[in-house]
Amino acid sequence: MTTISPTRLAAPKVRSKSDWHTLEAEVVLTQLETDRQYGLDATVAAERLEKDGANELIEAGIKSPWRILLEQFTGTMVMVLIVAAGVSIALGEIQDSIAILVIVVLNAILGFSQEYRAEQAMAALKQLSNPIARLRRGGELIERPAHDLVVGDIVLLEAGNVVSADGRLIETANLKVQEAALTGESEPVEKSLAPLERDDLTLGDRSNMAFLGTAVSSGRGLMVVTETGMRTELGRLAGMLHSVKSGPTPLQRRLAQLGRGLAVAALALVTVVFVLGVLRGEPAKLMLITALSLAVAVVPEGLPAVATITLALGAGRMLRRRALIRKLAAVETLGSVTVICSDKTGTLTQNRMTVSVLDVAGNKLEFDELLERSGMALRQEPETHQSRPELIALLAGAALCNDANLIQANPEQPQAAGDPTEAALIVAAAHVGLEKPALETQFPRVSELPFDSERKRMTTVHRSTGTLPADWSLKPSPYLAFTKGATGGLLKCCSQVLVNGEIQPLDTLLRERISKAHDGLALRQMRVLGVAYRPLEEIPPDAELEQDLIFVGVIGMIDPLRPEVREAVATCKTAGIRTVMITGDHPLTAGQIAKELGIGENGQVLTGQELERLNPEELAARVLEVSVYARVSPEHKLRIVEALHPAVSK
């Protein structure tokens, strides 16, 4: 174990927070003056915590009830009413003043109740538990609240962990991180250690970094913390959002304009009536009272209340549609929308990988079509449903060579937990009656070769406890090995292929058919995996396990569109509202989804790297033409929205 002097660690060198991914892992450790085995000394960590502050985001505080109440009396029309009530009291018109004040108070109560409930709901959403991080301090592995992390801490990452700070990865073992919350990337990102050459890469392309707020979906790793709190990428985004100042809505501007106009008109009326009356010889006091009475009569006392009630009714309707309106005025703003900027993952799509296509020896079948052939009967009467028996072997192999778990076996809506890609395979198999627990009972796993980023495949060996189902078309044997992975590498391990229930040599023609099928699915921006198997009399050494495999088929998966999205986009287009997609996903994926939805008919896609090179004037011109943005970071999204605002307001 290496011992490092605490005094030497007290002040790490400062680097730009954008270029950690360009450095070797050891260089990063040196720059931050820490050690992968020892970590930081507790004294040094305390000094850095005091210097940099806690590892937490500074949020715009929830409004206090008093502030919310005060804001109800700051509108121009409301202030005009309050002045009118005061004048009425001065004139002795007590009943009129009471009526005006009742309207003001009711209006304030209605607005306050709506906004206070919204603030309380927002506060409840933010009451999340503070995650615990496992890290090395002083050579010991300890657990500490995430807000105690400092730059230079060595943090362990495992499946299920939420990343608690930004960091450079220094060790990985099949590590995949779900970054959809930050980048919009629907699939977990496979992490690596090699330094990257370009310093202007978007977050989604920084494969050797882990970011605050993302989640480890599989594997494990070790990272050195490079940024904490508001200096993280998520913190920078929070800071930018805090700096955005919201302006008045169109209705608020018009009401304020009306209030100012009425105030000017009332003042002019008071002046004219008073002056003319005095010039005619009328008593000055009488003319002042008369003029003020006319001024009060000019004010439409019911207008603010009518506007507030209408907006409250709209907020109630939105709430019934699961949309929380934080400020009443926003209801009217929705009616003035001309451009909708939408993320892709989880908004236009379902943010869950789903099996879409099965392809065996170049013969393709859409998975929805397979389900229409009644999944359970498919297993029982394959010939009746004109199905290929290798489809059963394909799905069964994908479910067995799999580390995800089936958590709900309902045939109508099975659910699985684990890596999204593997979960999709288990769900697809369960849809046709091939439930993983039952499969593992009949074929218990006895050995495995875990997934490796270099091999890009995994293999599991299963003992056969009985006779194979006839529709599997697999040769009976004591053991079965299933291999799942990248099609290109998998084909190199195969010597035969399962075609129409028969095993044939994998000749050049069949290889070309399989490769063409893979390429066709990849062009549709699907995640494509191949499945192969091998009957075994005994378990061979690991080095010989992935040899002479029998290729079964390929499976295409995609993050499917939400069912209601096409109709929603079409409705917006009919209403003259332009839809813009802004995502951190790959440009080809974004372009394909946009094409399916009819977004951006000109086919233009602007990437984050291209956007980075545009100045504000150039971006303002491009946003009028481009409706699809890909590989963008959160700060790019803010730039796009800011550029769109004046562009569409012209």
Side-chain angles (χ1 to χ4, degrees), residues 356-359 362 364 366 487 511-529 554-558 588 592 596:
S356 179
V357 174
L358 304 176
D359 194 292
K364 184 174 66 175
E366 299 289 335
T487 308
R511 286 183 184 272
E512 290 178 352
R513 287 173 61 187
I514 295 169
S515 297
K516 184 177 179 181
H518 170 274
D519 295 344
L521 297 179
L523 285 174
R524 291 171 60 182
Q525 305 311 308
M526 291 189 181
R527 166 90 161 128
V528 186
L529 290 176
V554 297
I555 300 175
M557 289 166 284
I558 198 169
L588 293 177
Q592 179 68 26
E596 292 184 30

Side-chain angles (χ1 to χ4, degrees), residues 18-24 168 192-201 205-208 609:
S18 63
D19 64 356
W20 293 112
H21 61 281
T22 65
L23 304 177
E24 292 280 357
R168 171 66 160 90
S192 62
L193 296 179
L196 306 172
E197 294 183 1
R198 298 180 56 175
D199 60 3
D200 62 345
L201 294 175
D205 292 318
R206 299 182 190 179
S207 57
N208 56 17
Q609 291 184 6

Side-chain angles (χ1 to χ4, degrees), residues 175-195:
L175 181 66
K176 292 184 179 180
V177 179
Q178 177 59 264
E179 298 181 343
L182 187 62
T183 67
E185 181 77 54
S186 56
E187 293 185 44
V189 178
E190 186 175 329
K191 294 298 182 178
S192 62
L193 296 179

Side-chain angles (χ1 to χ4, degrees), residues 3 30 35 63 76 191 228 243 259 264 267 273 276 326 333 356 364 384 395 411 413 443 505-507 542 548 590 634:
T3 302
T30 302
D35 180 83
K63 290 182 182 178
T76 304
K191 294 298 182 178
T228 61
S243 66
V264 171
L267 182 61
V273 171
L276 291 179
R326 192 172 185 179
T333 307
S356 179
K364 184 174 66 175
T384 302
L395 289 172
Q413 196 174 10
F443 303 100
L506 183 58
D507 56 22
D542 289 351
D548 296 323

